[in-house]
Amino acid sequence: MTPRQIRQFNHDLLKWFHEKGRSLPWRETNNPYYIWVSEIMLQQTQVNTVIPYYNRFISRFPTLHALAEAQEESVLKSWEGLGYYSRARNLQKGVREVAEKYNGQVPDDKDKLLSIHGIGPYTAGALLSIAFSEPEPAVDGNVMRVMSRIFLIDDDIAKAKAKKEFENVVQELIAEADPRAFNQSLMDLGAMICHPKNPECPECPVRNHCRAYDEGVQTEYPVKSGKAKPKTADYAVLLISDSEGKILIEQRPDSGLLAGLWQFPMIGESEGGKAAVQKLAGEKIGQSVHLTKESFTHTHRFSHLVWNLSLYSGVICDPIIPGERQEWLPVSELEKRPFPVSHQKVIDWLKKNRRNDT
DNA sequence: AATTCGGGGTA
DNA sequence: TACCCAGAATT
């Protein structure tokens, strides 16, 4: 684009944004900590899903220091159900880093931001532009889709390399714009008009600048290669209760899938058969236990994994002393711990079917 | 450069 | 179903 075309593009885009842009909780503030929280929550997560989580989170951790000083488990509890839990752990790590290294002030320097845990190229750009009004690109899925159509860029956006190309394009456009409004207007355009499947081009404020619209090939962009088929894993979920009706739960490891969350003990069911489950359950719990296969089963789909869960229950008369990451809890207190959604389904079943109240 | 990290909305 | 979502860390 020529400088004149760039000015016209900016004018058309920002005029639309000020008239039709979304009003969102995190747009009512310039507090870098609030913007930071919102950007982390919004990673791979839709706006409407985030809104209630954001409001609760800010209400519970109203300042950067409040989050820095919180128990990690209470942070995970606030994140429960939102997914990608390492985001929450890294956010708190990053906040603690800012509290110690930068006296609680979120730095407005790109390299310093990128050195903070959980802040990558996108989030650094978003903070610099939205919180500090610096002309930095913030390239996410929306921006790649919009720009791929406007300039007919056919790089595979599933590849890491493609992002640089889009950052260069945005960098040229943003130079003459209000960076804060510019980056957010691209995201709103991507979310409200320039949809992946059925873009509403007649409503688009920049369709006159769009090469894909000009050539009628909007739906062929962006170019994106496919993902691998998720693998499946079968598990026996153990509902072990003591004579008082307390349930044995355990905390998952500090790294990997669902790190730090709580769950009912699980056993890989690869070979199937109740006898095998019974034997492994005895080893896991530390004493032999008679299990009953319940009718409850549940399939949980992650983006890269499928869990097939089936439920076994058993009662222990002489309860074991719980291990380091285990605990006996009454059903009524399970909600104090953060559980993954798959095991919340088990809790739902338990509350409907429990035979002995506690 | 490819894989691992959740869960829900949408056509 | 399949794809997408205000991506980053790890391998």
Side-chain angles (χ1 to χ4, degrees):
Chain A
M1 287 190 192
T2 67
R4 185 178 153 281
Q5 287 174 315
I6 290 176
R7 276 196 299 278
Q8 187 65 46
F9 177 87
N10 273 281
H11 176 267
D12 294 343
L13 180 63
L14 293 183
K15 178 169 182 289
W16 171 83
F17 177 66
H18 289 119
E19 289 173 1
K20 306 272 181 68
R22 295 172 291 185
S23 71
L24 300 167
W26 46 88
R27 288 183 178 173
E28 297 173 5
T29 177
N30 287 319
N31 184 328
Y33 164 64
Y34 292 174
I35 310 281
W36 186 2
V37 170
S38 74
E39 291 301 341
I40 301 301
M41 286 190 170
L42 285 161
Q43 289 171 10
Q44 298 296 291
T45 311
Q46 296 191 2
V47 163
N48 286 337
T49 303
V50 166
I51 290 173
Y53 280 91
Y54 172 83
N55 286 329
R56 279 198 302 271
F57 197 93
I58 293 301
S59 163
R60 190 156 181 186
F61 310 107
T63 67
L64 186 145
H65 287 101
L67 180 58
E69 292 159 12
Q71 295 290 322
E72 181 182 281
E73 187 164 288
S74 76
V75 180
L76 285 174
K77 184 66 188 176
S78 298
W79 213 270
E80 183 183 54
L82 196 55
Y84 285 160
Y85 298 94
S86 66
R87 292 183 295 174
R89 299 151 59 85
N90 285 336
L91 173 60
Q92 192 184 30
K93 269 188 218 164
V95 157
R96 286 175 170 169
E97 197 175 328
V98 169
E100 291 168 14
K101 274 195 188 173
Y102 305 111
N103 195 29
Q105 302 298 306
V106 179
D108 59 358
D109 175 84
K110 189 173 184 178
D111 290 327
K112 287 177 181 167
L113 286 172
L114 287 172
S115 76
I116 294 171
H117 243 85
I119 297 184
Y122 166 76
T123 304
L127 278 168
L128 287 167
S129 61
I130 297 172
F132 300 117
S133 291
E134 298 287 335
E136 281 289 330
V139 174
D140 66 343
N142 284 313
V143 173
M144 287 195 282
R145 184 171 61 257
V146 169
M147 289 303 163
S148 73
R149 287 170 175 169
I150 288 178
F151 294 105
L152 287 183
I153 299 169
D154 57 7
D155 296 36
D156 183 351
I157 67 167
K159 309 285 187 185
K161 195 176 64 173
K163 179 175 281 186
K164 283 211 104 179
E165 167 72 8
F166 289 97
E167 284 174 345
N168 292 337
V169 169
V170 172
Q171 185 71 67
E172 289 200 20
L173 294 180
I174 202 176
E176 311 218 358
D178 169 2
R180 187 166 202 258
F182 182 85
N183 278 339
Q184 296 189 88
S185 67
L186 280 185
M187 297 173 203
D188 278 16
L189 188 66
M192 300 166 71
I193 305 277
C194 198
H195 308 292
K197 296 279 179 61
N198 302 107
E200 301 178 63
C201 299
E203 312 299 321
C204 180
V206 293
R207 63 184 180 282
N208 290 336
H209 307 275
C210 183
R211 292 186 58 189
Y213 178 68
D214 189 44
E215 299 184 17
V217 292
Q218 307 92 308
T219 54
E220 296 174 33
Y221 290 81
V223 175
K224 186 175 185 179
S225 55
K227 281 178 291 191
K229 200 177 85 179
K231 299 179 177 182
T232 69
D234 300 334
Y235 286 102
V237 178
L238 305 182
L239 215 48
I240 308 298
S241 49
D242 67 8
S243 53
E244 300 174 349
K246 291 183 180 176
I247 311 291
L248 184 64
I249 61 174
E250 65 181 21
Q251 190 175 25
R252 293 180 61 87
D254 284 327
S255 64
L257 184 67
L258 302 168
L261 273 68
W262 290 79
Q263 66 179 17
F264 304 101
M266 294 206 302
I267 291 174
E269 216 181 10
S270 54
E271 301 178 18
K274 186 181 159 186
V277 171
Q278 179 107 24
K279 180 172 180 294
L280 291 169
E283 293 171 6
K284 184 175 185 67
I285 294 171
Q287 68 176 265
S288 65
V289 54
H290 178 263
L291 294 176
T292 303
K293 188 169 182 15
E294 301 287 353
S295 60
F296 178 86
T297 62
H298 179 64
T299 298
H300 188 84
R301 298 170 185 284
F302 303 87
S303 43
H304 61 303
L305 190 64
V306 177
W307 275 3
N308 293 314
L309 306 181
S310 53
L311 191 62
Y312 293 78
S313 65
V315 178
I316 287 183
C317 298
D318 187 15
I320 59 161
I321 297 178
E324 185 68 25
R325 301 175 74 90
Q326 294 180 325
E327 195 165 336
W328 292 97
L329 270 189
V331 174
S332 59
E333 292 181 20
L334 290 176
E335 63 189 28
K336 292 182 177 177
R337 310 286 180 190
F339 281 81
V341 168
S342 53
H343 282 237
Q344 289 178 38
K345 305 293 185 187
V346 176
I347 295 176
D348 291 344
W349 180 91
L350 175 59
K351 286 184 173 174
K352 282 182 192 165
N353 294 277
R354 62 181 157 166
R355 292 175 279 276
N356 44 354
D357 291 351
T358 53

